[in-house]
Amino acid sequence: MVELVEAVKTYKLGKTEVRALRGVSLSVKEGEFVAIMGPSGSGKSTLLHVIGCLDRPDQGRVYLNGQEVSGLSEDRLAEFRGKFVGFVFQTFNLVPTLSALENVELPMTFQGVPRKRRLALARELLVQVGLGERLRHRPAELSGGERQRVAIARALVNDPKLILADEPTGNLDSVSGAQVMELLKGLNEEQDKTLIVVTHDPEIASYAGRTVHIRDGRIQEVAEVQT
Amino acid sequence: MILDFIRMSWRGIKTRKARSTLTVLGIVIGVAAVVALIAIAQGMQATMEREFEAIGYDTVFVIPGEAPQGMQAMPDRMRRLAFFGGGSEGAVLDLSRLKGLPQVEAVGAIRTETAIITAPGLEGQGFLRVTGLSSGITQGFPSYFSGFSLAGGRGFGEGDEFVVILGPKVAEDFGVSVGDRITIENKEVEVIGILEESEDGGMQRGLPGDPNYGIYLPIAAVDSLFGEPGKVSLALVKAAEGADVKRVSQLVEQAMATAGTPVTTTTVQEMAEMATRMLSSVQAVLAAIAAISLLVGAIGIMNTMYTAVLERVREIGIMKAVGAKKKHILSLFLLESGLVGLIGGVLGVIVGVALASVAGRLISGSMNVGPMAGGFSFSAVFPAELIVGALALSFGLGALAGVWPAQRAARLSPVEALRYE
């Protein structure tokens, strides 16, 4: 499902060069739930961006679903991530001017899905994450946990095989955090979505079937976790 | 898909109400200026064409004397303009020579003088301009007198001499009605007719003065009151059907020069061309001013869109993360700036139409003073092309102003955009 071969990524932050990935190789099978752990600045978010086609590695190769994506143009990448990857972010990243329903609709708009179908599907997914009563609310009118559930619904609209979550519980209290994690785990178990979660919280990592540790841009160990 | 994008763009505009309103205002001013100025200019053009048409393109204006020396050096059109002013001293002309020309259908003469007048309603004496009209004018140039309808009494007839037709306002000032008498240059004359009041100053084309205040006599009466029979301030010559009007005007000049009384002529065609030339240069200046205000409006849009892009970097990142391509982001922002332009355009057209209508009325009022008085009824013209063109222009300009900001937005890298605080 996901295959990274010696991926290297360096970016500039102001004048300093940050060597975020220094040759990462990683393989994730279809239907797996993998946690990527590491301290802040270890490169775990960059790793997630590269896997999710938000960014391209400077060196090395990335394969998603058997296709090499590391050489694709920006627009082809956009198309690919639109269809194949669902993102869940720590800061939710909802569009503040759009309602919950419209936020969930958004990815389908760019895929050219007709409006009727978009509305029906967005509504269905929001009901599924328990927000059937909150369709017309703006993000600012929702609690953190509710916002993250909107984001999860949005991640699911194009029925992606891969869901990537970057500290999905980082801005949530423990109760809503647990709800979100249960929701994600359910997607992995019941809908067979491949799930990769970046976190620095061992408790969150404990939901995963496997944990990958990253430090200074390198994978340190691959541990199996029994749940 | 395009509808979805329009909906999203509209939301972008709505979320920054104050800024959008101000930006739109910039375009409104520009478009209103363009629409109003073009409508007024078109109205002027139409009015002029109507006026000249009514006088008849077969008419040649003949003014005694060569063009004054000082003015000869001036461009031809300026010299011609002096005609309109009726600034001629007048001279004795033998117009019967013109009647012999085969290309000439009719000849009419006008003689204006300032007369001492006493009337029942006047305290003491008045010095007023009187206008003598030959039968050639009243009969040969009916369109020239299209507005000369009488409210009471009768027009000039055969054998009339010491009779007068008054404009309604001057009749009121004099305190006279049909059948009463006034004295002009110590000679009693009978008021035989009073003109209808003309609201827009009348249609007494080319004649100096406002017909509401006109004092008209047969030219023979003016001749005997002031002496110098045959003196003419302005003569009109109508070219025969099919004749080359320009050629006729040259023949008239030649014939009168041979008679030892040189004249200068101008044709209605020449006057129309001159007026059009003047109007075009005025239009060009106005258009340039309007274009500048539109440009300023467009820069306003560009500024707003640029700020909008900066404000929404994160939003752009989100959209890209969920699969938006460059072209999607580009069209979103272009549509948004285009919409701002279009809204400005719609309001601008409304304001411009209102402005031009009001200005039309004011202009038609103010035109009715001075030497050209009496000839103009004016209203702005709004051709469909102007309205449609203004709307298309404002949308296009808006979109164009958005190109640069939109490209910036489209080029943002999703990761950096998402990291942006």
Side-chain angles (χ1 to χ4, degrees), chain A residues 70-143:
Chain A
S70 30
L72 293 180
S73 75
E74 209 183 295
D75 272 352
R76 294 279 297 129
L77 277 180
E79 202 178 319
F80 200 84
R81 69 175 169 263
K83 284 185 189 152
F84 191 75
V85 188
F87 280 100
V88 178
F89 300 93
Q90 176 178 0
T91 52
F92 322 129
N93 279 340
L94 300 175
V95 178
T97 52
L98 300 182
S99 69
L101 195 65
E102 288 164 326
N103 263 292
V104 177
E105 242 187 288
L106 194 60
M108 292 188 280
T109 309
F110 296 122
Q111 299 289 338
V113 178
R115 187 154 193 251
K116 259 193 172 163
R117 242 179 73 203
R118 290 203 313 257
L119 283 173
L121 189 56
R123 194 186 301 266
E124 189 189 316
L125 284 167
L126 282 168
V127 170
Q128 198 184 316
V129 298
L131 292 173
E133 307 295 307
R134 295 273 194 272
L135 301 178
R136 304 283 165 199
H137 287 60
R138 299 270 167 102
E141 298 159 350
L142 298 171
S143 74

Side-chain angles (χ1 to χ4, degrees), chain A residues 11 13 49 54-55 74-75 78-79 81-82 87 89 91 93-95 97-98 102 106-107 109-110 112 115 118 138 154, chain B residues 1 4-5 7-8 11 15 314-315 318-328 332 410-415 418-419:
Chain A
Y11 60 88
L13 207 63
H49 293 153
L54 271 181
D55 219 342
E74 209 183 295
D75 272 352
E79 202 178 319
R81 69 175 169 263
F87 280 100
F89 300 93
T91 52
N93 279 340
L94 300 175
V95 178
T97 52
L98 300 182
E102 288 164 326
L106 194 60
T109 309
F110 296 122
R115 187 154 193 251
R118 290 203 313 257
R138 299 270 167 102
R154 181 182 63 187
Chain B
M1 193 126 149
D4 297 319
F5 277 49
R7 207 175 292 128
M8 283 163 78
R11 197 182 295 267
T15 44
R314 217 182 149 80
E315 197 179 317
I318 296 170
M319 292 198 274
K320 286 202 158 187
V322 301
K325 294 182 193 175
K326 273 184 186 170
K327 65 170 187 198
H328 293 138
L332 266 179
R411 281 203 203 104
L412 284 172
S413 119
V415 172
L418 282 174
R419 204 180 283 144

